[in-house]
Amino acid sequence: MAPTGTSRPGEETPAEAVAPLMRGIAVLRRLTDADGSLGLSDLERATGLARSTVDRITLTLARTGYVRLDGKVVTLAPRLMELGNAYLSSVRLPGLLGGRVDALAEELDESVSLAVPDGGGIRFVHQTTRRRAMSLRFRIGDLLPAERTAPGTLFATRWGAQEWRAWRERRASDPDGAHFPSLPPGPRPADDLFEGRVEAARADGWAVDDQLIEPGLLALAVPVRDHAGGFACALSVVSHTSRHTVRGLREDLLPRLLDAASAMERRLRDEPPANHTPAPGALASWTTASKQELGREFIESLARGLTVITAFGEDGAALTLSAVARATGLSRASARRALITLEHLGYVTADGRDHRLTPRVLALGYAPLSRTTLARIADPHLAALAARIQDSASLAVLVDDSVQYVARAATHRIMTVDITVGTRFPAYATSLGRALLAGLPEDELGPLLDHAELRPLAPHTLTHRTELEAALERVSNEGYALVDEELEAGLRSVAVPVRDRAGAAVASINVAMHSSSRTIGECLEQVLPELRRTAGDIESELHTAARFADVAVM
């Protein structure tokens, strides 16, 4: 078997492990370490796998929607975040405590995070940052070494002899920190200094990071305990030496941090894990159909192994083998082999008959994808739409009473609509704007129209408020906006909204063309269904990406 780089050092691979699943996870890990994108030849070198194997793996991952193939370049796709979402949902912390973290960050005017242990390191599971010139660059899912973080120091107070031995072996085998690709270069703390900080944290009940990650960065962390008295997570506040000293951070913020942790502990006690039984799934049927369509190029055992991760995810879910098989539609034998493989690689832990996901699932692409934007999500879908209909496609957001273009895919026609990203137009005279205005509640739409100057921009521009309100009512009822020669003579466009997880229209997409290229009837028959299909594809990825991460719309 080719090396995967994901097995635990010194641990023999179980005979029942699914080799294609191990190789597929190795590819995802290498893409993650490369910040989300690699060429096929680079993947071949990084994984040690044969090129034909890499080709089959990436084709399978593209079929699942987890990567995109652009020529010989492989890029992680937002749908991959459903794996990390399954862990974050099962651990419950972002859902139950995220709102309190956000409120604390606002109160303190500092960045606040939740972190969980992962072996000898930590991973952030929720983060609320402040918008400053100097801000945090660590992302949800990034792995940092325990010895250079305040949360890691706290978690080490609970280590036993086995954990300390594993930590020292890792330090000896990886002196340069290559195991932590997101870590900035910096001095390597001596072992005895870390051990001393751990002893101090055990006595104090809190820990501090005094510029261990990088110069100028300070952090203070306190534990949030679960109902059994263990550490559910660490709550930390991060600042800079230009704003605080270590002593000032401790004196000014520690009491409020401890109060917040106590409130979080009460919330965890008051919300016991749900007794969840997953509904029967048809994922196995989908993988079978894909295998029949693509033949030997589709690695069914890889796709099925990854579906096992998605079977988890309801709050506090601990699943038995039978529950996993039921949720995925897999046979018990297939589900069992996948679980054995995932446990061997450290993505699942077993306690008797119960199986749970571990924080290591976040290593499968979550960090580089967690700071994606709506424009990045939309770009490949707009390009595919423009290629299908041979007309330009755009995505825009509402800014005051204007629409601003944030993503665009142009065609190669001689006569085309020439608009660049960043361009603004009055919302009332564009299909993009009307698709968004029609979704506003009355208490927002009314004041906006009160201040809008309805000027005639083209021969057919609606300039009377009653006419515009009637047009917006039609858009609301029909779900699309068609504007014909209202922004510019000869310009016709049709748009539909793009909605977030709550159903609010956060953006809109349109296709614009010269009025001579298609009739209005042809726009509705040929373009509108494609627009709706594209909006649905964008929404699907947006909803996945935004479940536990912030997706910027601009």
Side-chain angles (χ1 to χ4, degrees):
M1 180 186 296
T4 66
T6 55
S7 300
R8 294 169 179 170
E11 185 173 327
E12 185 177 350
T13 301
E16 295 169 287
V18 183
L21 177 58
M22 296 179 68
R23 294 175 184 138
I25 285 176
V27 166
L28 291 175
R29 289 292 298 268
R30 298 302 174 265
L31 285 167
T32 302
D33 292 345
D35 212 31
S37 187
L38 274 178
L40 288 167
S41 297
D42 295 325
L43 269 176
E44 179 184 358
R45 287 190 293 270
T47 59
L49 299 170
R51 176 57 181 269
S52 59
T53 301
V54 171
D55 289 343
R56 292 180 65 212
I57 288 171
T58 54
L59 179 65
T60 301
L61 293 173
R63 180 71 172 197
T64 64
Y66 290 165
V67 304
R68 293 194 178 101
L69 301 178
D70 183 9
K72 295 184 178 181
V73 176
V74 186
T75 302
L76 298 177
R79 188 181 171 188
L80 178 63
M81 293 177 74
E82 71 180 15
L83 302 182
N85 286 345
Y87 164 73
L88 292 173
S89 178
S90 69
V91 80
R92 306 193 308 146
L93 298 172
L96 290 180
L97 308 182
R100 296 176 184 268
V101 172
D102 299 343
L104 184 62
E106 182 71 23
E107 174 192 338
L108 303 180
D109 193 27
E110 300 285 359
S111 296
V112 180
S113 304
L114 296 177
V116 295
D118 185 357
I122 70 158
R123 294 188 193 271
F124 294 111
V125 295
H126 186 82
Q127 190 175 77
T128 305
T129 59
R130 311 309 290 166
R131 293 188 179 274
R132 295 196 180 99
M134 291 184 295
S135 59
L136 291 179
R137 73 180 187 92
F138 297 121
R139 306 157 298 188
I140 296 174
D142 271 334
L143 180 66
L144 300 176
E147 65 271 15
R148 289 180 64 178
T149 67
T153 304
L154 279 178
F155 296 138
T157 63
R158 298 298 181 97
W159 287 358
Q162 182 176 347
E163 287 84 3
W164 279 108
R165 182 167 56 253
W167 177 76
R168 292 188 179 93
E169 290 173 355
R170 186 261 292 171
R171 295 266 289 176
S173 64
D174 183 26
D176 297 325
H179 187 58
F180 304 93
S182 62
L183 184 69
R188 171 189 164 106
D191 289 7
D192 58 346
L193 292 180
F194 176 55
E195 293 167 6
R197 290 199 307 273
V198 171
E199 287 304 314
R202 183 178 288 112
D204 296 334
W206 48 268
V208 68
D209 161 11
D210 185 1
Q211 306 181 76
L212 294 171
I213 288 290
E214 63 182 16
L217 191 68
L218 304 175
L220 178 68
V222 299
V224 177
R225 293 174 173 81
D226 58 26
H227 66 281
F231 289 178
C233 62
L235 171 67
S236 63
V237 58
V238 180
S239 190
H240 194 270
T241 51
S242 61
R243 293 175 57 82
H244 286 281
T245 63
V246 171
R247 179 177 178 179
L249 196 69
R250 184 177 67 246
E251 292 178 351
D252 296 342
L253 303 187
L254 181 58
R256 285 185 279 181
L257 210 59
L258 290 170
D259 287 344
S262 295
M264 292 178 180
E265 290 169 354
R266 289 193 295 273
R267 180 69 192 277
L268 293 177
R269 283 197 306 270
D270 294 343
E271 295 281 348
N275 184 14
H276 172 68
T277 302
L283 294 172
S285 299
W286 177 86
T287 61
T288 299
S290 296
K291 181 67 173 179
Q292 291 173 348
E293 179 181 345
L294 299 179
R296 68 176 301 277
E297 297 305 310
F298 183 80
I299 308 175
E300 190 172 11
S301 58
L302 166 57
R304 288 188 166 192
L306 293 176
T307 66
V308 166
I309 296 177
T310 65
F312 296 81
E314 293 299 325
D315 288 349
L319 299 182
T320 63
L321 169 61
S322 297
V324 170
R326 172 183 169 85
T328 58
L330 296 173
S331 67
R332 282 177 56 91
S334 294
R336 179 174 176 274
R337 291 191 65 201
L339 287 170
I340 288 173
T341 307
L342 293 170
E343 184 179 1
H344 169 64
L345 298 178
Y347 299 98
V348 166
T349 183
D351 181 11
R353 298 174 62 246
D354 289 337
H355 299 80
R356 294 182 183 273
L357 298 180
T358 73
R360 194 160 301 177
V361 173
L362 297 174
L364 303 180
Y366 209 87
L369 291 169
S370 66
R371 289 194 179 170
T372 192
T373 64
L374 181 56
R376 290 178 186 169
I377 291 173
D379 275 335
H381 299 291
L382 294 177
L385 172 63
R388 290 197 302 270
I389 63 174
Q390 291 301 300
D391 269 309
S392 300
S394 304
L395 177 138
V397 297
L398 195 63
V399 180
D400 299 323
D401 59 355
S402 301
V403 288
Q404 180 170 334
Y405 287 72
V406 295
R408 181 164 170 78
T411 61
H412 298 289
R413 290 188 175 193
I414 294 176
M415 186 172 67
T416 186
V417 178
D418 187 17
I419 299 171
T420 58
V421 170
T423 298
R424 288 193 186 191
F425 288 123
Y428 71 91
T430 65
S431 61
L432 288 164
R434 289 187 189 172
L436 291 168
L437 292 173
L440 292 178
E442 183 57 38
D443 60 348
E444 294 182 27
L445 178 62
L448 189 150
L449 295 182
D450 289 341
H451 293 88
E453 183 183 357
L454 306 183
R455 297 180 291 112
L457 304 174
H460 302 298
T461 309
L462 295 183
T463 57
H464 296 288
R465 178 163 174 170
T466 54
E467 293 177 330
L468 179 59
E469 288 176 334
L472 294 178
E473 182 69 22
R474 287 194 299 273
V475 172
S476 180
N477 292 333
E478 296 171 352
Y480 71 91
L482 191 145
V483 170
D484 189 25
E485 297 190 289
E486 294 193 46
L487 180 66
E488 183 178 314
L491 182 63
R492 179 176 294 152
S493 66
V494 58
V496 297
V498 174
R499 302 185 183 279
D500 63 13
R501 289 176 58 85
V506 293
S508 57
I509 59 172
N510 84 341
V511 170
M513 68 209 78
H514 193 273
S515 57
S516 63
S517 63
R518 282 188 176 92
T519 66
I520 289 177
E522 288 171 336
C523 285
L524 299 182
E525 293 173 6
Q526 300 170 9
V527 177
L528 182 58
E530 294 291 341
L531 261 177
R532 284 175 164 157
R533 168 186 166 188
T534 301
D537 292 340
I538 294 171
E539 287 173 349
S540 177
E541 292 195 353
L542 172 62
H543 297 172
T544 298
R547 185 170 183 189
F548 294 110
D550 292 329
V551 176
V553 297
M554 292 182 64

